Amino acid sequence: MRPGGFQPSVSICIPVYNGEAFLAETIRSVLEQTFRDFELVILENASRDRSDEIARSFPDPRIRIERNRETLSQPDNWNRAVQLCRAPLVKLLCADDLLHPRCLELQVPPMRDDPSIALVAARRHMIDEQSRVIVPRRGLGGGLVGTHSGSEVARRVIRNGANPIGEPGNVLFRLEQFVTAGGWRSDRRFIMDLDCWMRLLQYGDFLGLPETLAAFRIQRGSVSAENEQAIYDEQRALIEELGSSGTFDVRGLDMTVGRVAAPLGRARRKALFSVSQFAARRDEKEIAERAS
């Protein structure tokens, strides 16, 4: 047990930097969980907006607010957010994403009851800036629902060419294994989540739930052309690393398919952000028409 005398079953940590637009909605989605034995750690990264004020406006005793004296890089901030957690099970939730009310109810028991599981993931919706679903029930394709070994997941990740597991909001992991694995890597900034998931799967199995238990928000400008190239480069580097590491049983055919699939994964990402940008432009047009 860490200092403070209280150890909940699970910790949710929200690292936030200038997140006033969506932070309140994100916090509410956590507080509405049907599974109640959790702590919510909000790490305010020296924001210049009302993020700290918004976080402190919620009187729930399960909320603990921490603040960085100076703005940290995203990897450093995410690592500190996890390090502040007291529970053995952890979920990192970005400050603009959402949880379904039953997310913890369905994810915590399997990990609590089966120590051989290192990672539990669920499907998630892709939502826009108005919280409208633009792509429903995304993720865990290629047979990732159910229990799988790390090698099975590695093969599917390689063949997918993108991130079939998903972002932090729809994943639950163990704090001890996260620390042992080295946490979020700064040299994999644009695929920090997928890179971390694969390192955690060195310590146990993967469980994919069929339910949709989170929502990942796509905003305008979320991925620039420069960032998209970095994502693509890091994704390809990860594929090669998985194939050559010897940690997972990856076959030559998996690598061949993965090298072909990487450009397809890139095209899917671009399509997702194009849909979000179209929705945002439509909203702007409707607002302008009402104002005229």
Side-chain angles (χ1 to χ4, degrees), residues 88-109:
L89 305 180
V90 176
K91 178 185 292 292
L92 186 143
L93 181 65
C94 294
D96 54 354
D97 294 343
L98 305 174
L99 297 183
H100 184 279
R102 297 188 67 199
C103 184
L104 296 183
E105 176 190 338
L106 295 178
Q107 287 191 326
V108 170

Side-chain angles (χ1 to χ4, degrees), residues 7-244:
Q7 186 180 52
S9 296
V10 59
S11 296
I12 300 175
C13 55
I14 301 177
V16 55
Y17 176 68
N18 291 344
E20 65 178 5
F22 305 107
L23 181 59
E25 185 180 7
T26 299
I27 293 174
R28 283 194 293 269
S29 79
V30 176
L31 298 180
E32 291 170 357
Q33 292 297 296
T34 56
F35 184 94
R36 309 297 292 173
D37 183 19
F38 67 84
E39 69 167 352
L40 172 56
V41 180
I42 302 174
L43 178 56
E44 211 293 295
N45 196 17
S47 297
R48 299 184 182 88
D49 65 0
R50 296 178 54 251
S51 293
D52 186 72
E53 177 185 343
I54 291 169
R56 296 183 187 281
S57 69
F58 290 85
D60 195 296
R62 294 169 297 180
I63 298 177
R64 179 159 49 95
I65 300 172
E66 305 282 351
R67 182 175 173 83
N68 294 328
R69 293 183 178 179
E70 59 183 24
T71 302
L72 302 180
S73 68
Q74 185 184 43
D76 288 342
N77 194 43
W78 280 27
N79 278 317
R80 182 162 190 255
V82 175
Q83 291 162 5
L84 289 168
C85 293
R86 296 188 175 116
L89 305 180
V90 176
K91 178 185 292 292
L92 186 143
L93 181 65
C94 294
D96 54 354
D97 294 343
L98 305 174
L99 297 183
H100 184 279
R102 297 188 67 199
C103 184
L104 296 183
E105 176 190 338
L106 295 178
Q107 287 191 326
V108 170
M111 289 201 74
R112 182 187 59 201
D113 299 339
D114 187 350
S116 70
I117 296 176
L119 214 65
V120 173
R123 291 191 169 109
R124 75 279 194 208
H125 292 316
M126 299 295 187
I127 60 175
D128 65 10
E129 295 176 350
Q130 305 302 318
S131 300
R132 295 172 300 204
V133 176
I134 54 178
V135 182
R137 293 178 54 79
R138 185 170 173 82
L140 303 188
L144 281 178
V145 172
T147 304
H148 303 277
S149 69
S151 291
E152 292 172 325
V153 176
R155 293 181 196 133
R156 286 166 171 79
V157 167
I158 290 170
R159 286 171 172 260
N160 180 269
N163 181 358
I165 296 174
E167 300 76 29
N170 62 285
V171 175
L172 185 69
F173 56 88
R174 299 185 190 276
L175 176 59
E176 182 178 4
Q177 292 173 349
F178 175 88
V179 173
T180 303
W184 314 106
R185 286 174 52 180
S186 60
D187 60 334
R188 291 281 167 83
R189 179 187 170 194
F190 295 103
I191 59 164
M192 283 199 306
D193 43 12
L194 181 59
D195 171 76
C196 185
W197 307 153
M198 297 316 301
R199 283 183 285 114
L200 289 173
L201 287 174
Q202 300 177 62
Y203 304 102
D205 292 336
F206 173 88
L207 175 62
L209 301 179
E211 294 85 2
T212 303
L213 299 178
F216 174 72
R217 194 183 305 273
I218 301 176
Q219 301 183 51
R220 285 170 293 179
S222 295
V223 174
S224 66
E226 179 182 355
N227 290 353
E228 170 52 39
Q229 183 63 48
I231 293 172
Y232 180 69
D233 292 343
E234 290 183 11
Q235 182 84 30
R236 294 195 64 179
L238 177 62
I239 288 174
E240 297 300 325
E241 183 178 292
L242 292 175
S244 63

